[in-house]
Amino acid sequence: MIELLTSPEAWAALLTLTALEIILGIDNIIFLSVIVSGVPSAQANQARQIGLALALVFRILLLSMLVWLIGFTEAVFTLSGAAFSWRDIILIAGGLFLIAKATHEIHNEVEVGDEASPSARTSNAFFWVIVQIIIIDMVFSLDSIITAIGMAQDLAIMITAVVIACFVMYVASGPVARFVAEHPTTKMLALAFLVLIGVALVADGFKFHIPRGYIYFAIAFSAAVEFFNVLAKRNRRKTG
């Protein structure tokens, strides 16, 4: 441990991996912000905290089982000349889940029809929110930790980077979730992001890598445009 604290290479690896883990955590924050918007505010805050705690637990557990985890990248079966590992299968399933979930939420936002009573809608909402958070946390955690294994060699560095990234996610998730809840148009934008992220996960599972820089730039650019749009609406409301 003393050698790690005094090693410039270890600090460089920690800073690089922490930054990468924070960037990868953007997907998690967007999903949490959208999924908790369907439950009351008190339960939404609790669900968000549980989701981030599970994200941290999953990541540390996966890091503690490195040998078993590396086996996830070994081929399980071959289809039309392409080899698929458990990692590929999980990424494809997780991506399809994100696409289906986001599409369902977009449909509910767009279509106006007969809705169940609020009590009927929220009776089991919290339970299903937690179930969905667990599913997607497992997908994002697997992708995140396999990236960490490729970036660093020391377990202490990887765990430290994951803990710091999860803390940043915890701090950022609250304001992001409140912003999404207060501005309905941003929820539609976030759902579109989830479809985009789901497509990227499925593509990764089929060995077609979409550079994450393109996706995160699109997210940042769209979010900036939406932020100025919300700001303009607020100013017009004040002057009106």
Side-chain angles (χ1 to χ4, degrees), residues 55-217:
L56 177 59
V57 170
F58 282 140
R59 282 163 169 77
I60 292 178
L61 284 176
L62 289 174
L63 279 172
S64 301
M65 298 182 287
L66 290 179
V67 176
W68 173 76
L69 183 62
I70 291 173
F72 268 53
T73 60
E74 297 178 356
V76 177
F77 66 92
T78 303
L79 182 64
S80 300
F84 291 89
S85 64
W86 280 113
R87 174 183 179 272
D88 299 328
I89 296 171
I90 292 174
L91 288 180
I92 293 171
L96 291 175
F97 171 78
L98 270 184
I99 295 171
K101 177 62 181 177
T103 303
H104 177 71
E105 292 293 331
I106 291 173
H107 179 269
N108 288 342
E109 291 290 323
V110 173
E111 294 294 329
V112 179
D114 296 331
E115 294 184 353
S117 64
S119 59
R121 286 200 307 270
T122 59
S123 58
N124 294 320
F126 183 76
F127 171 77
W128 288 113
V129 163
I130 297 300
V131 170
Q132 293 173 78
I133 288 174
I134 290 173
I135 293 173
I136 211 62
D137 268 348
M138 292 175 65
V139 176
F140 286 142
S141 295
L142 181 67
D143 202 25
S144 173
I145 295 310
I146 289 178
T147 301
I149 294 172
M151 289 287 297
Q153 301 297 323
D154 194 277
L155 183 61
I157 293 176
M158 289 186 275
I159 291 180
T160 303
V162 165
V163 171
I164 295 174
C166 285
F167 176 76
V168 173
M169 287 167 56
Y170 179 82
V171 172
S173 65
V176 172
R178 284 193 295 272
F179 189 82
V180 169
E182 292 172 1
H183 303 90
T185 55
T186 61
K187 181 177 180 180
M188 189 66 70
L189 185 63
L191 289 170
F193 291 158
L194 289 182
V195 174
L196 185 62
I197 294 167
V199 170
L201 289 177
V202 173
D204 276 348
F206 282 103
K207 313 296 185 182
F208 182 80
H209 179 66
I210 301 175
R212 288 295 191 268
Y214 295 148
I215 296 176
Y216 294 136
F217 175 79

Side-chain angles (χ1 to χ4, degrees), residues 15-90:
L15 292 175
T16 303
L17 183 56
T18 300
L20 185 60
E21 290 293 325
I22 291 173
I23 293 173
L24 292 174
I26 293 173
D27 304 348
N28 235 144
I29 293 175
I30 293 174
F31 179 80
L32 282 174
S33 301
V34 171
I35 200 66
V36 301
S37 64
V39 296
S41 57
Q43 289 186 331
N45 187 51
Q46 186 180 0
R48 190 172 61 252
Q49 292 175 349
I50 292 174
L52 291 171
L54 288 173
L56 177 59
V57 170
F58 282 140
R59 282 163 169 77
I60 292 178
L61 284 176
L62 289 174
L63 279 172
S64 301
M65 298 182 287
L66 290 179
V67 176
W68 173 76
L69 183 62
I70 291 173
F72 268 53
T73 60
E74 297 178 356
V76 177
F77 66 92
T78 303
L79 182 64
S80 300
F84 291 89
S85 64
W86 280 113
R87 174 183 179 272
D88 299 328
I89 296 171
I90 292 174

